[in-house]
Amino acid sequence: MTTSEHTDTHSTDTPASLSAALEERNALRADVYLLLARLVREPPNAELLEFLSALEPDDENSALKRHWASLSLAAQHAHPGTLHDVHFGLLIGVIQGQLVPYASWYLTGSLMEMPLVALRHDLKHLGFERAAHVKEPEDHFSAMCEVMAMLIESQAEAQAVFFKRHLSPWVLRFMRDLAQVEDPFYASVGALGDAFLSREDNQLQSEPDAQVVTFSPTPSTLGEGAKFSEGDTHS
C-alpha cells in the first residue's frame, strides 16, 4: 500500500492526476479501516490469512511498512482454529473479553454511557442507523471503522469531524492495549492499527471543525455484562 506525503513545488502533475492519486489514497485508507474492523469483529478465516500471508507492503511510510510485514509474517504462522479461540478470549469472552472494544468503556469505564449517546446523535445526523437485527451498541471499534470507511468512500467532509469526535479520544489506547497481548497475530494487528490510526489522527488534525469531545474517565474495572460482539451500522 502506497501513500505519498511529499509535496514538490516544481511538480508538473495535472489536476486530473492529483485527483486520481487522492482517490487511490482514500481507497487504500478505506480498505485499512475495513481490514481492522474485520479483524477485531471476528477471527480471520483461511482465505483472509492466505491473503495477509502474501502481502508485499510498499507503503512509503517506513513504520507502516514494517507493521504490514509483521502482520504478514504472523499470518503465515497462524491457524484459523487457534485464532478463533484467541479472538474469543481477547475480544468477546463468556462475560467479556480481556479487552472491551467500545468507546464508552475506554472513556468512562462502563458500557452504554455518554460517548454512545453523542455517537448516536452524530450517526443520525449523518444518515446512519443500526440494522434491526443488531443488538450491540454502535460504539464498537469495528462499527466505527466501517462508518469511517463509508465516509471516506463518499468523500464526505464529515470524516475528519467524525474521527476527532468519536475515535481520536480513545482508539489509540485500545490499539496499544491490543498490541501488548501475547498472541503474535493480534499483537501485530494492534501495532499496525496504532501506526495507521496515529497517522490518521495527525493528518486529520488540520481539518476545520474537527472538535474533540472528551469525557472524564473512571477506573476501567471488569464487571458483569453481556456477551459482546461487533455492532453493525448501515446508511
Side-chain angles (χ1 to χ4, degrees):
M1 296 186 178
T2 304
T3 303
S4 176
E5 306 300 331
H6 179 68
T7 301
D8 186 350
T9 56
H10 300 287
S11 174
T12 59
D13 290 341
T14 66
S17 63
L18 291 174
S19 177
L22 179 59
E23 183 175 344
E24 179 181 5
R25 176 181 177 274
N26 283 336
L28 291 171
R29 289 175 58 222
D31 284 346
V32 178
Y33 275 108
L34 291 175
L35 176 63
L36 292 174
R38 168 69 172 77
L39 293 174
V40 171
R41 180 179 68 243
E42 57 185 300
N45 56 23
E47 183 179 7
L48 181 54
L49 281 178
E50 183 179 358
F51 167 78
L52 294 173
S53 297
L55 282 177
E56 296 182 358
D58 59 354
D59 196 301
E60 293 178 2
N61 181 294
S62 60
L64 276 179
K65 183 175 183 178
R66 182 173 68 253
H67 292 307
W68 281 117
S70 295
L71 179 60
S72 180
L73 180 62
Q76 293 170 28
H77 297 281
H79 185 274
T82 301
L83 289 183
H84 180 277
D85 295 339
V86 172
H87 178 271
F88 183 85
L90 283 177
L91 296 163
I92 300 178
V94 175
I95 296 178
Q96 61 191 23
Q98 178 181 335
L99 303 178
V100 185
Y102 290 89
S104 289
W105 182 267
Y106 268 84
L107 295 172
T108 72
S110 301
L111 295 172
M112 308 289 287
E113 295 290 345
M114 287 303 297
L116 177 59
V117 175
L119 173 62
R120 285 175 170 169
H121 176 273
D122 284 359
L123 288 174
K124 182 177 181 180
H125 178 74
L126 290 168
F128 294 102
E129 62 180 10
R130 187 172 58 179
H133 68 280
V134 174
K135 306 303 180 184
E136 293 80 12
E138 296 91 332
D139 62 338
H140 189 283
F141 169 82
S142 295
M144 296 169 76
C145 283
E146 288 165 356
V147 170
M148 276 298 297
M150 286 186 279
L151 291 174
I152 292 168
E153 289 170 347
S154 65
Q155 301 182 353
E157 295 179 358
Q159 62 178 280
V161 178
F162 184 86
F163 185 95
K164 297 304 295 182
R165 284 176 62 88
H166 301 298
L167 281 165
S168 183
W170 70 282
V171 74
L172 295 181
R173 283 193 288 142
F174 169 58
M175 286 286 97
R176 289 164 188 170
D177 286 346
L178 187 58
Q180 295 301 313
V181 302
E182 293 183 3
D183 180 78
F185 180 82
Y186 278 100
S188 296
V189 173
L192 173 65
D194 181 18
F196 171 72
L197 293 169
S198 292
R199 187 173 72 175
E200 287 285 284
D201 196 33
N202 290 334
Q203 292 178 344
L204 294 173
Q205 285 275 8
S206 61
E207 297 293 333
D209 302 322
Q211 180 182 359
V212 178
V213 177
T214 59
F215 301 89
S216 299
T218 58
S220 297
T221 55
L222 297 179
E224 293 186 356
K227 175 182 176 181
F228 303 124
S229 61
E230 188 266 347
D232 188 10
T233 308
H234 294 275
S235 59

